[in-house]
DNA sequence: TCTCGATATGAAGAAGCATTCATAACGATT
DNA sequence: AATCGTTATGAATGCTTCTTCATATCGAGA
C-alpha cells in the first residue's frame, strides 16, 4: 500500500471528552451543556448563548432539557415575556455542576499532558 | 417547569473517551481502531474483525486507512489472494500503538474512579 | 391593550455518518 | 486455468442528528 505524504504526516493530537449520561446513554451533560450554562450565566439568555456557540436554539433548548431530565433537577430558571422577551437564569445546583465539571476537566487536562508524553515515547 | 420522574432520576454515569487526531480532526485513532487491531492480531483478517465488532467492512477498512494516513505509517500488512482469500497482519508499529493505547486507557481508568467520586461530592 | 423578543415545541428539511450493494483485483490451491 | 474468500473502493441507500421553519405562549413596558 502507498500512503499519501509518506513520512510527512500531520501533527498528531491527543483528544479526550468527559460527559455524564444515563445507562441507556439518554440525556447527556457534556461540553455543549457546560458551554451553554457558562454563557447563560453571563447573558441570562438561552438564545444568546446558542447564538454565541453557533448552535441552533432548538438544539440548545433540547440538550438542556434532556440534561435536566437526566439529573432530575432544573439547571435553568426560565421566565417568559416582559420587555426583554424573557430570561433564563442558571440555578444554584447548575452552578455547582459547572464548578464540578471544570474541576473534572482540570484533573483530566493535567493527566492528559503527562499521559500523552508517555504515549508518544512508547510509540516511537 | 415540570420534570418527569421528579426526584427519581436514573443513575448518572461518567463517560470518557480518548483518541488521536490531526488538527483538522481528520483521521482518527480511537476505540474502534484499537478494537479492530486487537481482533486482527488474533484473526489476521480485517473482515473477521469487522464482523466480530459488528461494524461494516467498508467502515473498518476506511477507518484504518484514515488512521494510517494520520500516523504516516502502515498499521496492517495486507495480502490479497491465496487459499484464504487474503490476510491482514498487524505491523510492529501497530503493536506498539496498541500497547501504548492500552496504557493510556489504564492511566485514565484509574484517574476516572477518583475524579468521579470527587465530582459527585461536589454536585451534592 | 398592543407590541416585542425570548421561551417552548412539533415538524420538515439538510447534513453527516454508517450500512449495503456492486464490482474488481488478487493469488495459493485444486 | 478455474475457484474461492479476502482485500479494495465507488456509489447508493439508510439512519441519526442538527438546522430551519412555523407557530404558540408569555408578560413588562409603551
Amino acid at each position: 500500500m502507498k500512503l499519501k505524504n509518506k513520512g510527512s504526516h500531520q501533527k498528531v493530537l491527543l483528544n479526550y471528552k468527559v460527559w455524564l449520561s444515563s445507562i441507556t446513554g439518554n440525556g447527556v451533560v457534556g461540553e455543549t451543556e457546560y458551554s451553554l450554562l457558562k454563557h447563560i450565566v453571563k447573558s441570562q439568555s438561552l438564545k444568546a448563548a446558542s447564538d454565541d456557540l453557533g448552535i441552533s436554539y432548538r438544539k440548545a433548548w433540547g440538550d438542556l432539557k434532556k440534561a435536566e431530565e437526566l439529573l432530575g433537577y432544573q439547571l435553568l430558571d426560565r421566565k417568559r415575556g416582559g420587555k426583554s422577551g424573557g430570561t433564563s437564569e442558571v440555578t444554584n445546583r447548575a452552578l455547582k455542576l459547572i464548578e464540578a465539571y471544570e474541576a473534572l476537566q482540570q484533573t483530566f487536562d493535567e493527566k492528559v499532558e503527562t499521559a500523552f508524553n508517555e504515549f508518544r515515547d512508547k510509540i516511537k
Side-chain angles (χ1 to χ4, degrees), chain A residues 52-65:
Chain A
D52 286 355
L53 293 181
I55 63 178
S56 65
Y57 174 83
R58 188 64 181 73
K59 174 169 156 55
W61 173 82
D63 284 355
L64 286 183
K65 197 188 164 203

Side-chain angles (χ1 to χ4, degrees), chain A residues 8 12 30 32 41 43 47 62 69 73 81 98 103 107-108 113 119:
Chain A
S8 73
V12 174
T32 304
V41 167
S43 62
K47 175 158 198 317
E69 276 165 24
Y73 56 83
I98 290 175
T107 302
F108 272 73
E113 183 73 22
F119 181 81

Side-chain angles (χ1 to χ4, degrees), chain A residues 98-112:
Chain A
I98 290 175
E99 276 180 51
Y101 189 82
E102 281 172 351
L104 193 64
Q105 291 263 18
Q106 180 69 30
T107 302
F108 272 73
D109 278 342
E110 286 163 12
K111 209 63 201 169
V112 161

Side-chain angles (χ1 to χ4, degrees), chain A residues 36-91:
Chain A
L36 281 171
L37 291 175
K38 281 292 271 189
H39 275 81
I40 297 172
V41 167
K42 281 185 252 162
S43 62
Q44 270 80 61
S45 165
L46 177 52
K47 175 158 198 317
S50 59
D51 286 348
D52 286 355
L53 293 181
I55 63 178
S56 65
Y57 174 83
R58 188 64 181 73
K59 174 169 156 55
W61 173 82
D63 284 355
L64 286 183
K65 197 188 164 203
K66 266 186 254 162
E68 286 178 328
E69 276 165 24
L70 167 68
L71 295 168
Y73 56 83
Q74 291 186 214
L75 296 171
L76 299 180
D77 274 330
R78 284 113 169 173
K79 301 255 166 61
R80 292 204 289 187
K83 61 150 189 247
S84 71
T87 57
S88 286
E89 235 184 309
V90 174
T91 65

Side-chain angles (χ1 to χ4, degrees), chain A residues 26-39:
Chain A
N26 227 341
V28 157
V29 181
E31 191 61 30
T32 304
E33 292 72 18
Y34 164 75
S35 299
L36 281 171
L37 291 175
K38 281 292 271 189
H39 275 81

